[in-house]
Amino acid sequence: MTADRAQRASSGPAASSALVAVTCDRFKKDRMMWSGGPASYLEALSLVGLTPVQLPTLAEPVPFAPVLDVVSGVLCTGARSNVHPTHYGHQESEAAEPFDHERDAISLPLIRAAVERGIPLLCICRGVQEMNVAFGGTLHHTVHAVPGLDDHSAVPQDDLDAWFALRHTVEVLPGGLLEPVLGREVKVNSAHFQGIADLAPRARVEAQAPDGMVEAISISGASAFALGVQWHPEHFIATDGPSRAVFDAFAGAVRAHAAGHRVAA
């Protein structure tokens, strides 16, 4: 073995960028079916020193156990699609569209497996909704139609900074996973029309909007970092301190996992 190969072999996980599995959407483009997602999530991971590895969403779910054997984190991204209502005991409705059945088939069991195996998990927008559903919770199909809740949606537009502009504050609940990361109050963006309704039995509310909308959850009893946020910290990670803090906290847990440790939630 050459000296440089010996150096690489002895350096261990901490010397290289830790791998994070990233969920993909399945969609039709240019007459073909694609698996992928916005680069903003991948760029955010790279910015905090992690290496993203996209887990493809195919017509038949790929076995993800071998991927979990080698990654040290899982990121469930946002998406234009919604979790199909049958996964939380509701009937299909036009208000709940669009759907991505193939993503449901891989993301829901992936989230449960990551928590079971103690792999750090960060879920964003659709991801936090998947997290709640994966552990037995339900969703509002249209948040703005629920009495007492505000309109949390945003109009898609070419000006992404306007689309994902910071719009309202959220109160971070004391004693949870998120308080040491963000403090007790933070301003976030809002670009979702679905949201958490009935909280999953294992879910803990980490933050909520002024109207009572659940904005962040963690999973009770998880042996590693397991956080879901309804907003989009990936968009302003380079310029907004709280957005960066969420990814830094996740990155710290991922590196601890890569080094053979566990960070308690």
Side-chain angles (χ1 to χ4, degrees):
M1 179 181 290
T2 63
D4 62 327
R5 287 180 63 191
Q7 173 67 28
R8 289 196 299 269
S10 63
S11 59
S16 59
S17 180
L19 302 178
V20 174
V22 182
T23 55
C24 289
D25 307 317
R26 184 170 169 83
F27 54 92
K28 191 170 186 178
K29 177 179 172 60
D30 297 332
R31 300 183 179 87
M32 294 183 288
M33 295 305 299
W34 291 64
S35 173
S40 55
Y41 298 97
L42 311 179
E43 291 163 349
L45 291 173
S46 181
L47 192 61
V48 294
L50 304 175
T51 298
V53 179
Q54 288 185 301
L55 182 62
T57 296
L58 308 178
E60 293 295 329
V62 297
F64 56 74
V67 177
L68 295 185
D69 289 340
V70 296
V71 301
S72 293
V74 172
L75 173 64
C76 293
T77 67
R80 298 300 300 276
S81 64
N82 301 306
V83 179
H84 197 275
T86 54
H87 290 291
Y88 49 93
H90 288 199
Q91 295 295 315
E92 180 176 329
S93 72
E94 186 175 340
E97 296 178 352
F99 304 125
D100 186 341
H101 297 280
E102 291 82 6
R103 170 158 171 166
D104 292 343
I106 192 167
S107 291
L108 298 178
L110 175 68
I111 287 170
R112 290 189 288 265
V115 171
E116 180 181 349
R117 294 177 60 160
I119 299 173
L121 173 68
L122 177 60
C123 299
I124 295 174
C125 197
R126 187 196 209 266
V128 71
Q129 296 167 15
E130 290 172 330
M131 175 185 275
N132 192 54
V133 170
F135 288 99
T138 68
L139 304 176
H140 293 304
H141 293 176
T142 47
V143 169
H144 62 271
V146 179
L149 295 183
D150 298 331
D151 187 350
H152 286 252
S153 63
V155 178
Q157 52 189 293
D158 292 336
D159 185 344
L160 297 184
D161 285 350
W163 183 2
F164 292 104
L166 303 179
R167 289 176 48 194
H168 66 75
T169 60
V170 297
E171 176 192 4
V172 179
L173 275 63
L177 180 63
L178 201 52
E179 185 188 17
V181 177
L182 295 179
R184 291 298 307 279
E185 185 176 274
V186 65
K187 194 168 187 179
V188 302
N189 46 31
S190 187
H192 62 102
F193 69 90
Q194 292 208 337
I196 291 174
D198 298 315
L199 198 65
R202 290 188 60 185
R204 179 192 190 278
V205 177
E206 292 282 343
Q208 57 188 19
D211 63 356
M213 183 76 236
V214 174
E215 290 281 342
I217 63 173
S218 60
I219 300 301
S220 299
S223 62
F225 185 99
L227 176 70
V229 297
Q230 186 60 77
W231 64 90
H232 287 270
E234 80 284 352
H235 184 75
F236 286 116
I237 185 174
T239 58
D240 178 59
S243 296
R244 175 65 184 250
V246 171
F247 272 91
D248 280 341
F250 177 58
V254 170
R255 291 192 185 97
H257 185 279
H261 303 297
R262 297 292 182 268
V263 176

